[in-house]
Amino acid sequence: MEEGHKEPLVLRVEGSHCSLSEMDDFDLTRALEKPRQLKIERKRSFDERSMSELSTGYVRQDSILEMAHSPGSRSMVDTPLSVRNSFEPHPMVAEAWEALRRSMVFFRGQPVGTIAAYDHASEEVLNYDQVFVRDFVPSALAFLMNGEPDIVKNFLLKTLQLQGWEKRVDRFKLGEGVMPASFKVLHDPVRKTDTIIADFGESAIGRVAPVDSGFWWIILLRAYTKSTGDLTLSETPECQRGMRLILSLCLSEGFDTFPTLLCADGCSMVDRRMGVYGYPIEIQALFFMALRCALSMLKPDEEGRDFIERIVKRLHALSFHMRSYFWLDFQQLNDIYRYKTEEYSHTAVNKFNVMPDSIPDWVFDFMPLRGGYFVGNVSPARMDFRWFSLGNCVSILSSLATPDQSMAIMDLLEHRWEELVGEMPLKICYPCIESHEWRIVTGCDPKNTRWSYHNGGSWPVLLWTLTAACIKTGRPQIARRAIDLIESRLHRDCWPEYYDGKQGRYVGKQARKCQTWSIAGYLVAKMMLEDPSHIGMISLEEDKQMQPVIKRSASWTC
């Protein structure tokens, strides 16, 4: 194509699929030729301190966030920085970088993401050869930490384009702001063209649109901005509009009486029927974090001002609701155990009419005297007491959890290490569901049998969220212990997607090998532990104004 010649945009709708053929680069490319850089002096005090100092208490977030990377301090290089630093590199690091680069996907010669898995041994490719939004996040963080932001910027721009496509499932049109679950690049070597096929849920198992994709996109946009110091991308009209479209979907007013976001099963990392319908902790934590990230990037112009006001109001209501009703510790469990039911009016203490008899037996033995966590779900007459790793870790990173609650979550992890971590970090949820309950909740899903896949399986990718939470709470020794477990097996087992068994001892029955986010999660964890200032791009400091006065519930009178 001659320079300056602009080919027409060709959109094709075939059934429920969208495709993009021979598309000129996004107009943002020209706008980003001369990015406006923030000059931020990088402070090395965090790096120079002994890691043992971090274990003395909760790390001040304002000090961490001051350690943003100076723009241009790291250029694209062949040798990863984690190999060239002062720490003695583990042999797995170089192998992981090689595998990560092998998974890269290119569109018209530019890297735009990484495929889900590079498993040559598997006979069925399914959709593991696609670029998933949620899967790419740890890959993106690894590239940002290594001073390679181009692939992240390209990914953000391409998915932003896809957001603007018309999205249909059968004859039903999806919301304008929905981000794709994944996309695939098709190369035609004869015609020398590239085509993008996007999936908004119309091809997914269960046909569920991804609620978390939009949240991860906003979080990643903020991570890119913090890492590079370049505000130009987030300030473009296209990115501003993209954020507003996502926010329009989740801030709309309706019949809800709660500030939490109502979701279907299968709309997040737990992307199959697992009884997380309603108000799952993972989505609420990501929702909270995305709102805070958007608040820091939205322009207070005529269009953005209304969204900023709505975000502030929602954050206050959401933080109070989650910290009050989703939080569980020993005292709160005892209070729920003594709840009265059928309470009416504003004086009700048992506001959701949770039946004490519905508390599962395992919770009483699981809950230590010191420690606590956000439960999996709260809705009328229902409280899902399961522990979900990602939701609790993101609650720490986003400061949805107060400092005391964050420390309590880490206390619980240490007290229940065998149950939540075992021999392969980290359980996606605990405990598993089995027998008759498994049949009802999962619909007899053979992939989600007990202690497998989403049903209590162990996912190495969660190592990066655990490590970030450990650094933020001043508990790096917990992360180091988890990384040691990973390094003893993950490479030898060829980077599997997940592990099975109560202790996570067995490679998952249907787990893909060379799973990209298992590889990237390990690299991100290693780089964060070696240079804790990296946490600034994925962590938010506490907002003092959102601290509610939390009163202990007591549904009984003395």
Side-chain angles (χ1 to χ4, degrees):
M1 187 190 308
E2 295 181 3
E3 187 176 354
H5 175 65
K6 194 172 185 179
E7 289 194 6
L9 178 68
V10 181
L11 292 180
R12 184 170 72 250
V13 179
E14 298 178 355
S16 59
H17 287 279
C18 299
S19 64
L20 175 65
S21 179
E22 282 296 288
M23 190 182 78
D24 194 14
D25 281 344
F26 203 26
D27 290 341
L28 287 178
T29 305
R30 289 190 293 277
L32 297 174
E33 288 178 353
K34 297 180 180 180
R36 177 162 60 86
Q37 299 282 345
L38 284 178
K39 293 188 177 181
I40 304 174
E41 182 183 356
R42 186 173 184 188
K43 299 184 178 181
R44 301 299 300 177
S45 57
F46 211 121
D47 301 355
E48 293 164 0
R49 287 165 54 193
S50 169
M51 289 297 288
S52 61
E53 290 180 47
L54 298 179
S55 61
T56 59
Y58 193 86
V59 180
R60 283 181 53 85
Q61 273 299 290
D62 51 1
S63 65
I64 292 179
L65 295 178
E66 287 177 358
M67 300 170 203
H69 297 163
S70 58
S73 62
R74 294 181 175 179
S75 58
M76 183 175 287
V77 289
D78 294 331
T79 305
L81 287 161
S82 56
V83 176
R84 295 187 285 107
N85 60 23
S86 60
F87 289 80
E88 184 67 27
H90 192 280
M92 264 178 62
V93 173
E95 294 285 342
W97 274 109
E98 182 181 343
L100 182 60
R101 297 195 190 283
R102 195 165 56 237
S103 71
M104 293 171 66
V105 174
F106 293 82
F107 179 78
R108 298 186 63 189
Q110 296 295 319
V112 292
T114 53
I115 60 173
Y118 198 80
D119 190 355
H120 291 299
S122 177
E123 297 179 358
E124 290 184 304
V125 176
L126 296 178
N127 55 0
Y128 283 83
D129 61 344
Q130 298 185 22
V131 179
F132 281 81
V133 173
R134 76 172 68 96
D135 290 44
F136 180 67
V137 171
S139 296
L141 295 177
F143 286 122
L144 287 174
M145 291 177 185
N146 200 51
E148 303 178 47
D150 289 347
I151 185 174
V152 181
K153 182 172 75 172
N154 294 339
F155 169 85
L156 289 167
L157 293 176
K158 288 304 172 191
T159 47
L160 186 61
Q161 285 178 289
L162 299 176
Q163 182 196 37
W165 287 6
E166 184 179 79
K167 301 168 276 286
R168 288 184 179 272
V169 177
D170 293 332
R171 298 184 180 184
F172 183 71
K173 185 178 179 181
L174 277 68
E176 190 178 4
V178 173
M179 280 287 181
S182 63
F183 66 86
K184 183 176 181 178
V185 177
L186 300 177
H187 302 284
D188 187 336
V190 178
R191 300 176 59 188
K192 296 182 179 180
T193 60
D194 288 346
T195 304
I196 286 183
I197 305 293
D199 176 19
F200 294 91
E202 71 272 18
S203 299
I205 295 174
R207 300 301 188 264
V208 179
V211 176
D212 61 341
S213 289
F215 298 153
W216 279 123
W217 188 88
I218 291 176
I219 293 167
L220 187 57
L221 178 62
R222 188 253 182 192
Y224 171 87
T225 303
K226 294 293 291 185
S227 175
T228 63
D230 176 16
L231 294 174
T232 341
L233 181 61
S234 64
E235 290 184 347
T236 56
E238 291 82 1
C239 280
Q240 291 288 310
R241 181 175 183 271
M243 283 190 285
R244 291 196 301 268
L245 287 175
I246 295 170
L247 295 171
S248 294
L249 288 176
C250 55
L251 292 177
S252 59
E253 296 176 347
F255 291 97
D256 288 322
T257 56
F258 315 135
T260 41
L261 198 62
L262 183 62
C263 300
D265 255 325
C267 64
S268 60
M269 181 181 175
V270 182
D271 59 7
R272 290 204 180 198
R273 180 178 165 188
M274 274 293 296
V276 299
Y277 60 89
Y279 305 91
I281 177 60
E282 177 184 332
I283 290 297
Q284 312 315 317
L286 288 173
F287 180 30
F288 183 87
M289 189 168 192
L291 288 179
R292 294 201 62 196
C293 289
L295 188 62
S296 70
M297 294 186 291
L298 282 173
K299 292 182 178 179
D301 53 21
E302 185 177 350
E303 293 179 297
R305 194 176 301 113
D306 175 62
F307 281 96
I308 290 173
E309 292 176 358
R310 291 163 67 185
I311 289 173
V312 170
K313 290 179 181 178
R314 191 63 168 263
L315 283 172
H316 278 276
L318 184 60
S319 62
F320 176 82
H321 184 92
M322 297 298 296
R323 293 169 180 176
S324 302
Y325 304 125
F326 273 66
W327 181 252
L328 188 72
D329 55 21
F330 183 83
Q331 182 60 50
Q332 186 72 355
L333 179 59
N334 205 134
D335 292 343
I336 296 171
Y337 177 65
R338 297 177 64 93
Y339 265 167
K340 291 180 179 179
T341 60
E342 306 300 322
E343 292 182 308
Y344 182 72
S345 187
H346 297 288
T347 59
V349 177
N350 185 3
K351 295 183 179 181
F352 300 96
N353 200 35
V354 174
M355 305 296 166
D357 288 344
S358 69
I359 303 175
D361 292 338
W362 66 265
V363 179
F364 295 104
D365 294 328
F366 178 76
M367 182 62 69
L369 291 175
R370 290 178 58 247
Y373 65 102
F374 289 104
V375 297
N377 219 315
V378 177
S379 57
R382 179 187 180 216
M383 185 172 284
D384 183 350
F385 290 89
R386 284 179 294 175
W387 150 277
F388 286 87
S389 299
L390 183 59
N392 276 274
C393 287
V394 172
S395 295
I396 293 175
L397 296 177
S398 63
S399 289
L400 171 58
T402 66
D404 287 343
Q405 288 174 335
S406 296
M407 296 302 287
I409 292 172
M410 301 310 296
D411 286 340
L412 181 77
L413 265 166
E414 286 194 298
H415 278 104
R416 298 299 175 209
W417 182 268
E418 292 302 317
E419 292 93 335
L420 302 179
V421 181
E423 295 186 22
M424 177 53 63
L426 182 65
K427 282 277 182 293
I428 190 171
C429 69
Y430 180 89
C432 72
I433 51 180
E434 50 191 328
S435 303
H436 184 60
E437 185 185 9
W438 167 79
R439 294 183 179 89
I440 295 174
V441 173
T442 74
C444 298
D445 188 345
K447 200 168 183 179
N448 276 319
T449 54
R450 63 177 192 149
W451 305 116
S452 179
Y453 203 39
H454 301 116
N455 190 12
S458 298
W459 293 70
V461 63
L462 294 170
L463 178 68
W464 81 264
T465 58
L466 172 63
T467 301
C470 289
I471 293 173
K472 183 174 180 180
T473 54
R475 307 276 190 96
Q477 69 278 5
I478 298 178
R480 191 178 298 110
R481 183 181 176 189
I483 289 175
D484 287 343
L485 289 173
I486 286 279
E487 290 180 335
S488 68
R489 292 198 56 187
L490 197 60
H491 178 256
R492 185 185 69 192
D493 294 336
C494 199
W495 312 98
E497 179 183 12
Y498 62 92
Y499 285 76
D500 285 353
K502 197 169 184 178
Q503 295 293 316
R505 298 179 63 189
Y506 305 98
V507 174
K509 184 167 49 178
Q510 297 186 45
R512 287 298 192 277
K513 299 293 185 70
C514 293
Q515 185 77 17
T516 303
W517 69 354
S518 296
I519 297 164
Y522 165 70
L523 287 173
V524 171
K526 286 286 285 188
M527 286 189 282
M528 279 195 297
L529 197 58
E530 293 168 359
D531 182 357
S533 69
H534 285 310
I535 196 180
M537 73 173 74
I538 201 65
S539 179
L540 296 164
E541 61 182 313
E542 184 187 17
D543 187 343
K544 304 290 185 182
Q545 296 179 349
M546 285 191 295
Q547 283 193 4
V549 178
I550 301 178
K551 297 181 180 179
R552 284 293 175 198
S553 300
S555 185
W556 49 279
T557 56
C558 297

